[in-house]
Amino acid sequence: MSDDRQPDDILKAAKKGQAAPFYLFYGPGEFRMERVLTALRTLLVPEAARDFNLEVLYGDEPIEPEQIINKASSMPFLAQRRLIILRRTESFTADRLERFLPYLDNPSSSTCLIFISSRTNFSTKFYKKFRSEGAAVLFDELKGNQVVPWIKKTASEDFGMTLGEAACASLLEVVGNRPRELYSEIEKLRLLYGKNVSLEQVKEAVTHSRVYTVFELMDAVAMKDCGSSLRILKRYLEEEDSRDGPLGLLSMLNRQVRLLWQAKAVLLKRGGVPEVQKKTGLPPFVVKKLVEQAPRWTEKELRNGLERLRQSDDRLKSGSSPRVILEILILSLCS
């Protein structure tokens, strides 16, 4: 995976008018992938010539590799480049995928052919070809210290906004690392406050959202504030009517307990904020709270907390009442 390209590399090249004759796009970062594809359409094929030089094909439709190769081998019409996007590449069998290999060995320089695959096997000849040519592009989930720069860059490039470091960190804390939700929140902030958005405005905009309630609950549990935790849980359950809501809450509590355990381990070795940040990959804004919360927990309490979470997950999936299970869980974690 070390040889795989990053999405920003592809965009930088395209902005200079450069593009490889073929790419493989893969990975769980679907939202980021779609944004890059939209940008490539604009950068590589002029709008006036798009009807003749842009094609989107699907591997699960009745189409053969040779038909796609013929399209890719055709010269662009009134433009310098053709762009062909093949979605659902994973629908082709390994044998059919190998029929693309002669073209990949000698591709058209005036076509950019992008294969999109939700399942890859880099031990096969087809997928191995992209990695050996440096044409495999990984769209991973945003992680750790990648998120705040992504928020800042997206706000600036897509909305002409200025978001400070603390405002971006606050948005990350509330929304998490999900690009689609982050993008929606940035768009909302732009509509509410314009181009310059302060930390206070970010907090005001998200305070009443359900996702904020979840993080508010995480903080209350981490501080072992039983009364506040139960009040916030009640509010959450009143707002959340989907079946998956309680399970999602358990997942977040599991994450919080594990983060507390990681912070606790660092603090026991006389580490501080920098060491906890390195261990967790979280921004300083979040790490400072973890460092304050972790000493309230013993290692035994954290271990027991994970076991209670597992038991609660089993009970929820067996059809027991979510409200009762979650209230008992919160009481056991905070006591």
Side-chain angles (χ1 to χ4, degrees):
M1 194 174 291
S2 59
D3 293 334
D4 292 347
R5 306 282 296 278
Q6 293 300 305
D8 283 349
D9 298 337
I10 307 307
L11 285 180
K12 285 176 185 175
K15 286 174 182 176
K16 297 176 183 177
Q18 303 166 359
F22 55 82
Y23 293 111
L24 168 69
F25 284 7
Y26 77 102
E30 180 185 347
F31 180 73
R32 295 173 69 202
M33 186 184 296
E34 293 304 324
R35 291 188 68 232
V36 168
L37 287 169
T38 299
L40 289 176
R41 289 186 185 99
T42 302
L43 292 167
L44 299 181
V45 185
E47 185 174 0
R50 214 163 284 165
D51 288 344
F52 305 103
N53 300 292
L54 171 63
E55 286 195 75
V56 181
L57 308 171
Y58 295 85
D60 58 352
E61 292 184 349
I63 190 167
E64 294 299 321
E66 288 73 20
Q67 292 173 272
I68 299 169
I69 290 170
N70 286 337
K71 291 175 181 290
S73 301
S74 301
M75 294 297 293
F77 182 70
L78 298 178
Q80 292 185 337
R81 185 179 280 107
R82 288 172 58 80
L83 175 61
I84 298 176
I85 299 169
L86 176 62
R87 295 182 179 274
R88 301 172 196 159
T89 301
E90 71 281 355
S91 299
F92 285 108
T93 62
D95 289 345
R96 292 175 73 204
L97 286 175
E98 287 189 15
R99 284 151 58 185
F100 284 105
L101 291 175
Y103 175 81
L104 297 181
D105 286 333
N106 187 27
S108 169
S109 59
S110 59
T111 295
C112 180
L113 174 56
I114 299 177
F115 296 85
I116 299 175
S117 183
S118 63
R119 296 190 307 274
T120 55
N121 181 356
F122 285 103
S123 64
T124 62
K125 292 180 181 179
F126 174 79
Y127 289 108
K128 190 182 292 184
K129 176 67 174 178
F130 290 91
R131 187 161 277 177
S132 67
E133 296 288 339
V137 186
L138 172 61
F139 287 83
D140 208 349
E141 299 287 2
L142 292 171
K143 296 176 183 176
N145 57 11
Q146 297 176 329
V147 187
V148 167
W150 185 89
I151 295 172
K152 202 167 188 176
K153 181 180 178 183
T154 300
S156 175
E157 293 185 353
D158 288 31
F159 298 99
M161 292 169 61
T162 301
L163 277 180
E165 198 84 9
C168 293
S170 180
L171 200 55
L172 164 62
E173 183 188 16
V174 173
V175 181
N177 68 338
R178 300 176 299 279
R180 192 181 301 278
E181 285 84 350
L182 285 168
Y183 194 89
S184 295
E185 289 297 325
I186 296 168
E187 186 174 23
K188 182 172 74 175
L189 289 168
R190 178 68 172 84
L191 292 170
L192 286 172
Y193 304 115
K195 292 185 177 182
N196 296 300
V197 180
S198 66
L199 171 61
E200 290 71 26
Q201 288 171 327
V202 170
K203 289 182 176 180
E204 175 65 25
V206 299
T207 293
H208 303 294
S209 69
R210 183 177 63 80
V211 71
Y212 180 83
T213 304
V214 173
F215 281 89
E216 195 180 9
L217 178 59
M218 296 305 109
D219 283 342
V221 171
M223 293 297 287
K224 292 192 173 182
D225 185 341
C226 194
S228 293
S229 297
L230 289 174
R231 284 194 296 274
I232 298 166
L233 174 65
K234 181 176 181 291
R235 189 166 80 240
Y236 174 84
L237 292 174
E238 287 171 351
E239 296 171 356
E240 176 56 65
D241 57 2
S242 75
R243 178 181 176 277
D244 295 332
L247 287 172
L249 193 59
L250 276 188
S251 176
M252 290 299 296
L253 283 167
N254 190 295
R255 173 181 180 272
Q256 185 71 28
V257 171
R258 291 182 183 280
L259 287 172
L260 287 167
W261 202 337
Q262 288 180 321
K264 181 80 176 175
V266 173
L267 295 175
L268 286 173
K269 295 179 181 178
R270 302 187 182 279
V273 171
E275 290 77 19
V276 175
Q277 184 178 11
K278 184 177 179 181
K279 178 79 172 175
T280 61
L282 296 170
F285 184 79
V286 180
V287 171
K288 286 177 182 177
K289 287 202 293 188
L290 274 177
V291 169
E292 179 186 356
Q293 295 161 351
R296 297 173 182 267
W297 297 74
T298 66
E299 290 184 275
K300 183 179 179 180
E301 287 172 334
L302 292 167
R303 189 179 302 108
N304 289 343
L306 290 175
E307 177 59 23
R308 292 189 185 108
L309 283 160
R310 186 192 64 76
Q311 293 169 355
S312 299
D313 183 71
D314 289 342
R315 289 169 187 156
L316 272 179
K317 289 175 179 175
S318 71
S320 301
S321 167
R323 180 181 294 275
V324 173
I325 291 170
L326 291 172
E327 285 179 349
I328 293 172
L329 173 64
I330 295 297
L331 283 169
S332 66
L333 289 173
C334 291
S335 63

